[in-house]
């Protein structure tokens, strides 16, 4: 189940609030300027290519491109048998920002977005059906866990794709990781 856990950055051991209702998650994130929606997914074979996935979601991708001025869309997929999984995980675990919105639609699997908003950290365990849009300049990080299993459609205004500016803050190391927040899910 999709879950939002809200932490005080100065007391990161235990969340102040945990929410599992998607409408309430959308409301709480929306109050912070974060777009969160639940979208229907398509039945696709496990070995569907990037082109197959983008074709299956053509209408949604084109709508987001028009709405947000995005230039490109791609698919990122990672499985637990990938020999580079630890390196990929480490790449996203430090707090960073982007000069563009970060939009992800989970076609399958799950991953954990942490959003550092003021004195709070919103940890959003996104799963299949979830669309999240993190506005440019928002401090955040992503944890895919030690055994990643996810496929996401990503949209970019910058044709170069994912470009991060790391903050140098250690806050990501002080909050519970994926293993604790995602549990056995």
């Amino acid at each position: 189940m999709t879950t939002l856990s809200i932490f005080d950055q100065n007391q990161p051991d235990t969340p102040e609030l945990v929410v599992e209702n998607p409408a309430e998650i959308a409301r709480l994130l929306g109050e912070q300027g974060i777009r969160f929606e639940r979208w229907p997914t398509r039945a696709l074979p496990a070995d569907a290519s990037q082109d197959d996935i983008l074709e299956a979601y053509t209408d949604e991708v084109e709508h987001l491109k028009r709405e947000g001025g995005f230039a490109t869309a791609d698919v990122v997929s990672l499985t637990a048998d990938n020999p580079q999984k630890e390196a990929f995980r480490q790449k996203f675990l430090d707090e960073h920002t982007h000069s563009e919105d970060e939009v992800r639609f989970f076609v399958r699997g799950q991953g954990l977005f942490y959003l550092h908003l003021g004195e709070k950290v919103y940890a959003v365990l996104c799963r299949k059906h979830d669309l999240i849009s993190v506005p440019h300049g928002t401090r955040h990080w992503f944890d895919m866990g030690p055994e990643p299993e996810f496929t996401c459609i990503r949209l970019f205004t910058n044709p170069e794709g994912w470009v991060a500016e790391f903050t140098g803050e250690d806050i990501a190391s002080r909050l519970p990781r994926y293993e604790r927040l995602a549990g056995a899910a």
Side-chain angles (χ1 to χ4, degrees):
M1 175 172 284
T2 301
T3 306
L4 169 63
S5 302
I6 302 176
F7 294 85
D8 181 311
Q9 72 176 7
N10 299 311
Q11 297 178 331
D13 292 331
T14 305
E16 296 178 335
L17 179 67
V18 176
V19 178
E20 294 180 339
N21 178 296
E24 183 67 3
I25 292 170
R27 185 187 69 76
L28 290 167
L29 291 174
E31 289 174 353
Q32 300 299 317
I34 309 297
R35 179 180 183 174
F36 176 84
E37 298 173 0
R38 302 270 299 160
W39 286 11
T41 55
R42 313 279 193 281
L44 293 167
D47 64 347
S49 70
Q50 172 173 298
D51 289 341
D52 293 339
I53 293 168
L54 289 173
E55 183 177 321
Y57 292 94
T58 297
D59 291 342
E60 292 88 344
V61 168
E62 291 305 315
H63 172 76
L64 287 170
K65 281 182 174 180
R66 284 189 306 275
E67 182 181 86
F70 298 104
T72 63
D74 71 4
V75 175
V76 61
S77 187
L78 203 61
T79 59
D81 62 353
N82 186 307
Q84 300 290 321
K85 67 184 177 189
E86 186 57 31
F88 283 120
R89 184 182 191 195
Q90 290 303 315
K91 178 180 179 179
F92 304 110
L93 275 179
D94 289 325
E95 184 183 71
H96 59 275
T97 63
H98 302 286
S99 62
E100 65 178 318
D101 293 357
E102 181 166 347
V103 179
R104 302 291 180 267
F105 173 61
F106 283 77
V107 174
R108 76 170 180 84
Q110 64 185 28
L112 187 55
F113 274 94
Y114 295 82
L115 311 163
H116 188 185
L117 307 166
E119 299 289 314
K120 305 288 183 193
V121 176
Y122 290 65
V124 187
L125 179 61
C126 293
R127 298 182 188 240
K128 180 179 177 179
H129 301 285
D130 292 343
L131 171 84
I132 189 165
S133 180
V134 180
H136 71 280
T138 301
R139 296 180 296 165
H140 69 284
W141 61 97
F142 179 72
D143 190 351
M144 62 187 72
E147 300 296 322
E149 289 290 339
F150 69 90
T151 299
C152 288
I153 296 175
R154 309 183 301 176
L155 289 106
F156 301 100
T157 54
N158 180 347
E160 293 177 31
W162 191 86
V163 178
E165 184 174 322
F166 292 92
T167 67
E169 299 292 328
D170 72 343
I171 189 162
S173 67
R174 293 186 275 133
L175 271 94
R177 294 260 191 234
Y178 177 96
E179 295 88 335
R180 184 167 143 209
L181 295 181

